[in-house]
Amino acid sequence: MRKIGNLVRAHRVTNGSYTEVCEGRVQYAPVKSLWYFAMLAGAITGMAAFFSWTAIGVFALVTAAVLLFGHSLGSHRKLIHNSFACPKWLEYALVWCGVQVGLAGPIGLLRQHELRDYAQRKADCHPYLRHGAGFWRDAWWQLHCELKLGAPPAIRIEPRNAQDRFYQFLERTWMLQQVPLAVLFYLWGGWAFVCWGVCARVCAGVTGHWLIGYFAHNHGDMEYEVAGAAVQGRNIPWTSLLTMGEGWHNNHHAFPYSARLGLKDGEWDPGWWALCAMEHVGLVRDLRLPGGIRNKNGLDRCRFRPFLMKFWW
């Protein structure tokens, strides 16, 4: 048994009945769905009408930068888990990059993450919250629908984020935040750069986020187990570079506050490498690591499973 402990998060979910995260209905979300279809249409247009290796290079570079500095460092390791400290201007820049992924605004991301995290650590939860409905149905649910729980738990976002005016602004305008980049890309390379640098990038980011979420909660190897939890995170090693280290999801479930997700030699974690480089030049500090971290929401029930590895391939 490897003890993890109980450092309690500032973002908190209030306990309710057992069925609070089990009973609900999945319904079509028009805005979410139309946003995805619009980005998909732009991506297909780019592939069909504006194919160029330069535009593809722009797509690759900008997508990698947004996933690394925005999604992994800004939205996940900083905004959601506060796993390192940095100046406020840098935090804002990283979180703004995270909005460029095209998933939601920062407060919306926090709310959805806290609900999923809370639900997955219960004894059971709705299939929508645990990616448990099968591959194609889960794709439809996650990309085009939303879950309406009958009696949802109360989620309180800590005031430093909920009352932050910049985050409130991003929450109201998160779709419009693609416009500045779209204008720059148009001035730089015309519609080809817009289709590839904005539409294809957002489509890839949103689709990839769902794909990794599906596999990281259903298929992969497990080294740690959170006892009694409805969902166990799984490590997907081959995605470690593509996801900037986010593919080490079993490690993350075990040590959610850790700024380092790839914990062993050979567990490649570009997000951690970037943080180490930024720490070296004085941009970040106080990087949290598993050795001094206690498990989230007061739970002390994570155990080491060296001989219970499961592989989806």
Side-chain angles (χ1 to χ4, degrees):
M1 179 77 71
R2 185 175 289 189
K3 295 286 186 178
I4 305 296
N6 65 14
L7 180 62
V8 181
R9 288 180 58 83
H11 310 304
R12 219 178 268 259
V13 185
T14 304
N15 284 310
S17 66
Y18 176 76
T19 60
E20 60 186 349
V21 292
C22 293
E23 295 183 354
R25 69 184 187 280
V26 179
Q27 64 183 37
Y28 181 65
V31 174
K32 178 179 181 179
S33 181
L34 290 174
W35 169 253
Y36 182 78
F37 277 131
M39 294 299 107
L40 179 60
I44 293 173
T45 300
M47 295 175 189
F50 301 110
F51 181 87
S52 77
W53 289 112
T54 303
I56 293 174
V58 168
F59 162 79
L61 289 174
V62 177
T63 299
V66 165
L67 292 179
L68 174 59
F69 294 104
H71 180 68
S72 187
L73 299 191
S75 295
H76 196 201
R77 305 192 206 204
K78 179 55 184 173
L79 180 70
I80 291 173
H81 293 289
N82 201 27
S83 62
F84 62 90
C86 67
K88 201 66 176 179
W89 67 265
L90 180 56
E91 176 183 333
Y92 284 164
L94 294 173
V95 172
W96 180 82
C97 270
V99 171
Q100 294 301 315
V101 176
L103 291 167
I107 297 174
L109 282 175
L110 277 168
R111 288 188 177 278
Q112 186 64 19
H113 185 279
E114 292 306 298
L115 175 60
R116 282 185 185 272
D117 193 65
Y118 173 73
Q120 290 175 4
R121 290 175 179 270
K122 303 284 278 187
D124 194 12
C125 65
H126 194 282
Y128 181 95
L129 296 171
R130 55 183 169 85
H131 296 276
F135 185 83
W136 293 112
R137 178 175 291 183
D138 192 63
W140 173 253
W141 280 6
Q142 304 299 332
L143 297 175
H144 302 283
C145 302
E146 60 186 8
L147 175 65
K148 294 292 185 181
L149 291 169
I155 300 174
R156 180 179 66 84
I157 304 299
E158 61 178 326
R160 84 172 188 92
N161 290 322
Q163 298 175 13
D164 187 288
R165 291 185 179 181
F166 182 65
Y167 290 157
Q168 290 174 348
F169 168 71
L170 291 181
E171 185 67 22
R172 294 191 302 268
T173 64
W174 66 271
M175 290 184 183
L176 294 176
Q177 293 303 315
Q178 300 297 333
V179 173
L181 279 183
V183 171
L184 289 174
F185 284 138
Y186 180 78
L187 294 175
W188 182 17
W191 287 112
F193 279 22
V194 175
C195 288
W196 284 94
V198 176
C199 299
R201 169 180 55 80
V202 170
C203 187
V206 174
T207 305
H209 183 265
W210 159 67
L211 274 171
I212 296 303
Y214 176 81
F215 283 109
H217 292 99
N218 289 283
H219 306 285
D221 64 309
M222 288 176 56
E223 213 168 339
Y224 303 93
E225 180 179 26
V226 181
V231 181
Q232 304 293 332
R234 311 298 181 102
N235 287 334
I236 314 295
W238 62 271
T239 69
S240 59
L241 292 179
L242 290 173
T243 62
M244 305 303 165
E246 298 292 328
W248 304 111
H249 206 63
N250 181 250
N251 298 353
H252 178 61
H253 270 229
F255 306 101
Y257 278 112
S258 177
R260 183 176 183 177
L261 303 183
L263 301 179
K264 295 180 179 179
D265 291 341
E267 293 186 349
W268 293 354
D269 184 356
W272 173 249
W273 303 340
L275 284 174
C276 289
M278 294 165 75
E279 183 185 40
H280 182 71
V281 298
L283 287 176
V284 304
R285 64 185 188 281
D286 301 334
L287 276 61
R288 296 185 176 187
L289 292 170
I293 297 172
R294 292 179 175 273
N295 209 355
K296 115 181 319 187
N297 292 337
L299 301 177
D300 184 15
R301 56 189 191 186
C302 186
R303 56 182 177 174
F304 188 48
R305 297 174 29 136
F307 304 113
L308 296 177
M309 310 291 282
K310 297 181 181 179
F311 298 90
W312 72 274
W313 56 85

